Amino acid sequence: MTLRTGHIGLNVTDLDRSLAFYRDVLGFALIGEGEEEGRRYAFLGDGESLVLTLWQQAERPYDGGRAGLHHLALEADSVERVEEYERALRAWGADFAYEGVVAHHEGAASGGIFFHDPDGTRLEISVPSGAEGAPAPSRTAPACGFF
């Protein structure tokens, strides 16, 4: 058996703010939330299973210069859906690494958008195909590696 991702756990500085972002902007469903030993948490899903757990236990925002998570990549059904997410994220005021949908590398059919959550965690929403002709931030290296 090959391992696969079960769910992702993220430390956040403000659970209410992060919950609003992941639930209201990205559309994850709230499965449950609670508090134990002074730590608040929320479980978010896709309607069928747990996808993301938010833990309010961080004192500082994400630090891309430390070992650990580089970015969290999510996959959408179509490039049109990626563009819908982009509009919602821009309305929310998200910080983007690139303008619009970009290809993963020059000539790739895959691509997406690259942005940051309220704590600065790097996120990607992409599609495996449909981004043909989109600009590529890098000719050979993946776009996700340079933000």
Side-chain angles (χ1 to χ4, degrees):
M1 178 180 148
T2 302
L3 292 174
R4 63 183 182 276
T5 304
H7 72 275
I8 304 296
L10 294 178
N11 285 337
V12 300
T13 59
D14 181 332
L15 183 63
D16 294 327
R17 179 182 68 178
S18 293
L19 185 55
F21 177 80
Y22 284 97
R23 182 192 56 214
D24 302 341
V25 180
L26 296 185
F28 286 102
L30 178 63
I31 295 172
E33 59 184 311
E35 183 172 348
E36 189 173 314
E37 299 178 21
R39 293 186 304 170
R40 292 180 59 212
Y41 57 89
F43 299 118
L44 299 166
D46 62 6
E48 295 180 20
S49 57
L50 175 65
V51 174
L52 186 64
T53 304
L54 304 175
W55 296 92
Q56 182 177 301
Q57 59 187 18
E59 295 177 13
R60 293 181 305 279
Y62 175 80
D63 180 355
R66 297 180 66 185
L69 179 73
H70 181 273
H71 72 284
L72 174 59
L74 305 166
E75 190 172 295
D77 307 14
S78 66
V79 74
E80 292 80 17
R81 187 69 179 118
V82 173
E83 291 166 343
E84 289 174 16
Y85 280 114
E86 179 186 10
R87 286 190 292 277
L89 288 158
R90 288 203 185 279
W92 183 83
D95 173 47
F96 282 80
Y98 311 113
E99 277 301 311
V101 173
V102 297
H104 278 130
H105 58 81
E106 192 171 292
S110 64
I113 56 174
F114 299 84
F115 58 98
H116 301 88
D117 82 354
D119 282 306
T121 301
R122 295 180 270 204
L123 293 148
E124 166 188 356
I125 299 177
S126 64
V127 288
S129 63
E132 294 88 347
S138 171
R139 288 179 19 155
T140 57
C144 59
F146 294 100
F147 81 111

